[in-house]
Amino acid sequence: MLRLRVLKKDGFFERIFKGNDKSLKKLGIETNMNIVAQILTEPEDLDDNTIVLTMRKRLVEYQTYGKYEEWKWNAPAEPNIRDLKKAFIEHKGFDIKPDSIEFAKFISYEFHWMHVNFEIFEKEVRSKRKKGGKKKKHVPIMDDIRENLRKSPYIFRDGDVIGYRLESENQDNKDDFQTAEDEEAKQKYILEKSKEDAEKQNNSGKGKKEGGGFQILTDF
């Protein structure tokens, strides 16, 4: 059994093409897409509501994460944080309350783990209100919040890497989900990017008119 899915530029898997009875056109496969085929050990027929996530346990003591574990979440149309917590607790068989577990989504292009909490939704709404002026000045902020994990700012989708933390292992409440490896990779990326930008800037000056004359380039 094969599973077809999109491979992103950063090397992470993304969208899964669901519906075994659909044509390639109906699946939405487009030109120049990077498609990979995963060999499965058992048949699967995913519906459009299922989000296939890659879960990793937060190892608080070591400030890193454990092994990758795939989880097929049959999420509701507009899943909220409590839906996520209840479903994952049931999936793992944990004997804990929803408030005893926290999640973070890995944003690969930022080398950052974004804590999945209600305050992020509230912050986004406040930011949109600020940009939109004073039209909703007298409308309570809670009336505008739509806690939907399929939408911004989290946009849960197939292939997302989600870290989960048991709060019993974070008793001092100091863990921020980040890792030294991600910070190191981020700094390395920033350094390489600055070098590339500097080279582009230097190369852009080649062949330009200088002192009223012209220049013939021979280094090609």
Side-chain angles (χ1 to χ4, degrees):
M1 185 67 183
L2 294 179
R3 174 198 286 172
L4 296 180
R5 66 192 308 175
V6 175
L7 180 66
K8 298 193 296 182
K9 291 181 179 180
D10 58 14
F12 284 90
F13 293 140
E14 196 181 34
R15 175 187 171 192
I16 294 174
F17 296 101
K18 301 166 185 173
N20 296 334
D21 58 345
K22 294 181 180 178
S23 65
L24 294 181
K25 185 176 181 179
K26 288 185 176 180
L27 285 173
I29 295 180
E30 301 173 0
T31 304
N32 297 324
M33 269 188 174
N34 290 320
I35 308 295
V36 295
Q38 287 181 281
I39 300 176
L40 305 176
T41 57
E42 57 185 28
E44 72 173 7
D45 188 9
L46 304 174
D47 60 35
D48 291 334
N49 285 332
T50 303
I51 308 175
V52 181
L53 301 171
T54 300
M55 309 300 294
R56 300 187 69 186
K57 185 180 185 297
R58 176 65 170 174
L59 305 177
V60 178
E61 182 180 357
Y62 301 102
Q63 297 289 284
T64 188
Y65 290 87
K67 63 181 181 180
Y68 292 87
E69 172 193 345
E70 185 177 271
W71 175 43
K72 300 172 185 176
W73 180 26
N74 189 16
E78 297 186 3
N80 57 37
I81 297 173
R82 193 166 186 83
D83 292 329
L84 171 66
K85 290 185 174 186
K86 290 175 68 175
F88 190 69
I89 287 173
E90 182 179 353
H91 165 70
K92 295 294 290 184
F94 291 148
D95 185 18
I96 59 175
K97 296 180 179 179
D99 291 341
S100 299
I101 190 170
E102 293 292 327
F103 297 88
K105 174 179 173 175
F106 184 58
I107 312 299
S108 59
Y109 57 87
E110 294 181 356
F111 305 94
H112 177 75
W113 293 84
M114 181 190 291
H115 188 189
V116 180
N117 61 12
F118 186 80
E119 286 72 20
I120 300 296
F121 284 105
E122 183 178 350
K123 182 179 179 180
E124 184 180 52
V125 170
R126 291 186 184 279
S127 177
K128 287 182 178 179
R129 280 194 175 191
K130 188 176 181 180
K131 291 179 181 179
K134 300 180 179 180
K135 294 180 180 179
K136 294 188 177 182
K137 183 177 180 180
H138 302 294
V139 179
I141 191 75
M142 296 297 292
D143 290 356
D144 262 2
I145 297 176
R146 297 291 181 267
E147 192 184 338
N148 183 354
L149 292 174
R150 294 184 190 271
K151 302 294 184 180
S152 179
Y154 294 108
I155 316 178
F156 271 36
R157 61 184 65 180
D158 296 329
D160 280 349
V161 178
I162 308 296
Y164 67 93
R165 181 181 67 205
L166 300 178
E167 292 308 278
S168 60
E169 300 174 1
N170 183 40
Q171 295 185 2
D172 60 4
N173 294 316
K174 292 183 178 180
D175 183 61
D176 63 358
F177 282 108
Q178 311 309 317
T179 73
E181 293 83 0
D182 292 325
E183 181 59 29
E184 183 179 343
K186 180 179 180 179
Q187 295 305 321
K188 182 179 179 180
Y189 171 79
I190 292 174
L191 180 61
E192 291 178 350
K193 187 69 169 57
S194 63
K195 288 182 178 179
E196 289 178 4
D197 292 343
E199 286 183 10
K200 288 180 180 178
Q201 188 173 2
N202 290 335
N203 292 335
S204 66
K206 290 184 177 181
K208 290 185 177 180
K209 190 183 296 184
E210 293 183 9
F214 64 90
Q215 184 179 18
I216 299 176
L217 300 181
T218 59
D219 56 341
F220 59 86

